[in-house]
Amino acid sequence: MSKIDLYDPKWIDLVFQDKNKEYGAYQLRKGTSSRNIKALAILIAAALIIGGYLVWKIQADKAAAERQAYMEQLELSRLQEQAKQEKKDEPKVEKPKIEQPKKEIPQVRETQKFTAPVIKKDELVKEENEVKAQSELKSDVAVGVKDEEGVKDRNIEAARTDVVAKVEEPPKPEPKQEVKKEVESKIFDVVEQPPSFPGGQSALLSWLSNNIHYPPVAEENGIQGRVVVSFVVEPDGSVSNVQVVRGVDPSLDKEAVRVTKSMPKWVPGKQNGQAVRVKYNLPVTFKLQ
């Protein structure tokens, strides 16, 4: 028996040979090949259309994601530039000058030098160290270790050079410790090395998209938008002081604060090589599919 091509309508004539061809089965079988070819063509066309649409959809989503990331990066740059400008515009507060009290010089009683007698050779004795006779001493002037100008009031004590008063000053804190404490508590807006999310900006956007839970109330009412959140990256990388700078809706604002507080530790910012507290503004985008 020879091979029969099922797509060739000749096999129908062989089957219905010497039979009633007016019967409906013959007409139905006669159009089978053309119907199969049309169905196959439609199937191929549909596959091409669907495949083309899927490829276009993937490319469009990728382009939209890249455009969204670029816009968010521009927004971050603008917010950081704005914070830097606000920092420059802040008025500088001058520290008040502490006036030192004037030192009052007490009155000193006039004294005349009196040298105790010491046995020495005449050539070794200086003229100013010679012992004065009793007649050479002034009765209204006190006797001291040197000649000192002053008042002749007997109520004023003569200056003593053998005793020095020692005044202990209160211990001053080390300047380095004060500077270190001030740096640790200060919140910087702009630093030499800004804080960063582990993995970079793309990792941050991916983490937000995977961890944001769209509020059902906002989703049902078709509410979407961009919430700007401000927070402080601590020296250990943790996030604190989370606040909404620009809100959209209470439900979206609350979710933005929640997802920001749940972020993993960041790479802290540094100033002069030391990890410091840095303020950071982050836009959180809510978009309905």
Side-chain angles (χ1 to χ4, degrees):
M1 182 178 179
S2 61
K3 295 182 180 180
I4 300 175
D5 187 3
L6 295 178
Y7 290 98
D8 191 349
K10 293 180 179 180
W11 68 272
I12 300 173
D13 294 332
L14 293 174
V15 173
F16 284 88
Q17 187 176 6
D18 300 329
K19 292 183 180 180
N20 185 12
K21 295 182 179 181
E22 298 298 329
Y23 185 61
Y26 174 79
Q27 300 297 331
L28 185 63
R29 299 295 188 277
K30 191 73 173 177
T32 300
S33 298
S34 61
R35 286 196 301 271
N36 290 340
I37 294 173
K38 290 180 181 179
L40 183 61
I42 293 173
L43 183 61
I44 294 173
L48 291 175
I49 293 173
I50 294 174
Y53 173 76
L54 291 177
V55 172
W56 173 83
K57 182 65 175 176
I58 293 172
Q59 295 294 333
D61 291 345
K62 184 178 179 181
E66 292 178 352
R67 185 165 57 254
Q68 183 71 15
Y70 175 73
M71 295 302 295
E72 291 184 356
Q73 185 66 32
L74 287 180
E75 183 69 14
L76 279 175
S77 301
R78 187 187 67 79
L79 291 174
Q80 291 176 357
E81 187 67 26
Q82 183 180 357
K84 186 177 180 181
Q85 187 64 32
E86 291 176 356
K87 183 67 176 179
K88 289 182 179 180
D89 296 339
E90 287 182 1
K92 295 183 178 179
V93 180
E94 296 183 357
K95 296 183 178 179
K97 295 182 179 179
I98 301 176
E99 296 183 358
Q100 298 292 338
K102 296 182 179 179
K103 295 182 179 180
E104 297 182 359
I105 301 175
Q107 290 182 331
V108 181
R109 185 177 176 185
E110 183 180 356
T111 59
Q112 53 188 341
K113 183 178 181 181
F114 176 76
T115 306
V118 178
I119 299 175
K120 288 185 178 181
K121 293 182 179 181
D122 292 343
E123 60 270 14
L124 298 178
V125 179
K126 295 182 180 180
E127 183 178 354
E128 63 270 13
N129 292 332
E130 291 182 358
V131 179
K132 294 182 180 180
Q134 188 67 30
S135 59
E136 296 177 351
L137 297 176
K138 300 178 182 179
S139 58
D140 57 349
V141 178
V143 176
V145 294
K146 64 178 181 178
D147 294 329
E148 184 76 28
E149 295 183 358
V151 297
K152 297 180 180 181
D153 189 355
R154 290 180 179 273
N155 295 324
I156 299 177
E157 185 180 358
R160 299 179 62 185
T161 59
D162 57 338
V163 179
V164 178
K166 185 177 180 181
V167 179
E168 294 184 358
E169 296 181 356
K172 296 180 179 179
E174 297 182 4
K176 291 184 178 179
Q177 292 181 355
E178 290 183 353
V179 173
K180 186 176 180 181
K181 290 181 180 179
E182 182 180 355
V183 170
E184 288 178 353
S185 60
K186 182 179 179 181
I187 299 177
F188 290 83
D189 290 326
V190 181
V191 290
E192 295 175 354
Q193 182 178 341
S196 60
F197 189 84
Q201 189 68 20
S202 59
L204 172 60
L205 296 176
S206 176
W207 189 91
L208 289 175
S209 63
N210 293 332
N211 291 272
I212 288 178
H213 302 153
Y214 213 106
V217 176
E219 188 174 5
E220 291 175 0
N221 293 294
I223 300 174
Q224 59 183 359
R226 181 178 299 170
V227 180
V228 179
V229 180
S230 171
F231 56 89
V232 175
V233 180
E234 299 292 341
D236 62 350
S238 60
V239 174
S240 65
N241 298 349
V242 181
Q243 297 177 353
V244 176
V245 178
R246 186 185 305 164
V248 176
D249 181 78
S251 60
L252 298 184
D253 299 347
K254 185 177 180 181
E255 175 60 18
V257 172
R258 184 201 67 79
V259 76
T260 302
K261 289 182 177 180
S262 64
M263 285 192 298
K265 287 189 176 183
W266 286 47
V267 178
K270 291 185 178 181
Q271 182 72 9
N272 296 327
Q274 179 181 353
V276 293
R277 306 177 72 196
V278 184
K279 185 178 181 181
Y280 197 93
N281 292 327
L282 175 67
V284 181
T285 303
F286 293 88
K287 186 176 181 181
L288 294 170
Q289 297 296 332

